[in-house]
Amino acid sequence: MNVSTKANPHTAAAQLRKVSPLRPTLAIVLGSGFHHVLTELQVTKKISYAEIPGFPKPTVSGHAGELYFGQLGKTPVLVLSGRAHFYEGHLMERVTFAVRALAAFGIRDLLLTNAAGGINKNFRAGDFMVLTDHINFMGANPLRGFVDSGLNRFVDLTDVYDAGLRALLVKCGKNLKLKLRAGVYLAVSGPSYETPAEIRAFARLGADAVGMSTVPEVIAARQCGLKVAAISCITNLAAGISRQKLSHPEVLETAERVKQSGARLIEQFAGLYGQI
Ligand code: HPA
């Protein structure tokens, strides 16, 4: 089966090359809790997703759908504000399209950020967690049906999150005196939050946090040969971990509270990345 649509990542990449002469090797995808990074970015060019063929039109408020060329911590970067989520009803092909376009553009290293619920009992709302590994519980794999004779279908995910990039994040956390957690991210399709029984099950499976994004992009990025790092803002304790009920406003509230720490962490990361 070939489920390809007409959108071609190389066409999108050509469009990106046309709008700016900047050729960064690092791209950063901003999820909930990380949009404040934009205040630290020296923007040289901003382009709406609507102007890039094949890019998604995000439907979640607060996810803008814009791609920025700029300098972050004096390092040239591409910053993506807004992503397509599986829970919005997009096909996996659409969810991962931007990552494939980044690879075609020449990006080599990808930092993905997201909001997640804390499962690990030691975690607190407002913590940040560097992903060490993931569990794909979305019930779908973005490589299913994907046909590209130049790319491996059976992608190895043994060291899915790059050790060097992870170490860089840990170093930034230390420099900023941020208590950075490390752990396993479990991805669900959403958009409902989990039941307490599901969270108990996920804890037994080895998950430290749960969220509704990132994993499809990570898998596609690894297929394209990108090095990947990812970081979660723990915006709430997962269902049943605390007595409180879960709500999207709570997620946004925590994200707002720690937005400066998140932005500094990402800025430092870009700065140190530029020195290696
Ligand atoms: N569950 C799933 N996704 C999330 C959560 C959660 O508790 N918090 C933020 N994103």
Side-chain angles (χ1 to χ4, degrees):
M1 182 179 55
N2 182 345
V3 292
S4 258
T5 61
K6 285 193 192 70
N8 182 335
H10 290 278
T11 311
Q15 171 73 357
L16 294 181
R17 276 189 222 106
K18 213 160 71 181
V19 299
S20 169
L22 206 64
R23 297 289 178 265
T25 59
L26 173 65
I28 302 169
V29 176
L30 302 180
S32 305
F34 291 92
H35 290 272
H36 199 64
V37 168
L38 293 175
T39 62
E40 308 294 335
L41 182 69
Q42 317 255 272
V43 179
T44 57
K45 180 75 192 174
K46 171 174 144 179
I47 174 170
S48 156
Y49 285 5
E51 295 169 62
I52 316 171
F55 264 52
K57 289 161 197 64
T59 62
V60 187
S61 65
H63 294 248
E66 270 149 359
L67 183 147
Y68 297 80
F69 287 81
Q71 311 274 339
L72 188 64
K74 300 199 173 75
T75 301
V77 288
L78 285 190
V79 177
L80 280 73
S81 172
R83 55 153 56 99
H85 295 88
F86 192 49
Y87 65 70
E88 292 174 271
H90 295 296
L91 294 175
M92 277 297 186
E93 189 182 10
R94 180 54 61 98
V95 172
T96 55
F97 183 84
V99 166
R100 295 192 186 283
L102 293 176
F105 172 83
I107 290 298
R108 290 206 292 268
D109 301 280
L110 180 66
L111 176 64
L112 295 154
T113 64
N114 62 48
I119 295 179
N120 186 315
K121 294 249 163 64
N122 295 320
F123 289 6
R124 298 285 168 266
D127 284 351
F128 292 93
M129 181 187 92
V130 177
L131 275 65
T132 55
D133 206 344
H134 72 230
I135 298 171
N136 182 5
F137 227 84
M138 283 187 151
N141 188 298
L143 307 190
R144 178 173 179 266
F146 183 85
V147 178
D148 181 331
S149 54
L151 293 177
N152 182 12
R153 168 175 274 173
F154 303 103
V155 177
D156 173 45
L157 297 178
T158 309
D159 296 309
V160 59
Y161 298 95
D162 182 75
L165 296 178
R166 272 165 51 196
L168 211 57
L169 278 169
V170 170
K171 191 168 171 186
C172 298
K174 282 204 179 108
N175 288 348
L176 294 168
K177 298 195 169 38
L178 260 182
K179 195 161 73 180
L180 265 194
R181 312 289 194 164
V184 174
Y185 174 94
L186 184 144
V188 290
S189 73
S192 66
Y193 289 117
E194 303 69 39
T195 63
E198 285 167 343
I199 294 300
R200 284 195 299 275
F202 294 164
R204 289 188 170 205
L205 290 177
D208 295 292
V210 58
M212 305 177 192
S213 69
T214 304
V215 163
E217 292 128 292
V218 168
I219 295 172
R222 292 302 300 139
Q223 185 186 40
C224 296
L226 302 185
K227 285 191 200 161
V228 179
I231 185 147
S232 296
C233 175
I234 304 296
T235 48
N236 57 283
L237 300 183
I241 301 282
S242 84
R243 277 197 208 112
Q244 216 180 317
K245 286 199 176 172
L246 269 57
S247 71
H248 191 55
E250 182 204 354
V251 167
L252 299 180
E253 232 171 77
T254 309
E256 178 67 20
R257 175 164 63 79
V258 298
K259 66 182 184 186
Q260 261 154 5
S261 305
R264 265 187 267 130
L265 183 63
I266 305 303
E267 186 193 12
Q268 270 245 347
F269 175 83
L272 289 188
Y273 173 90
Q275 292 167 24
I276 55 174

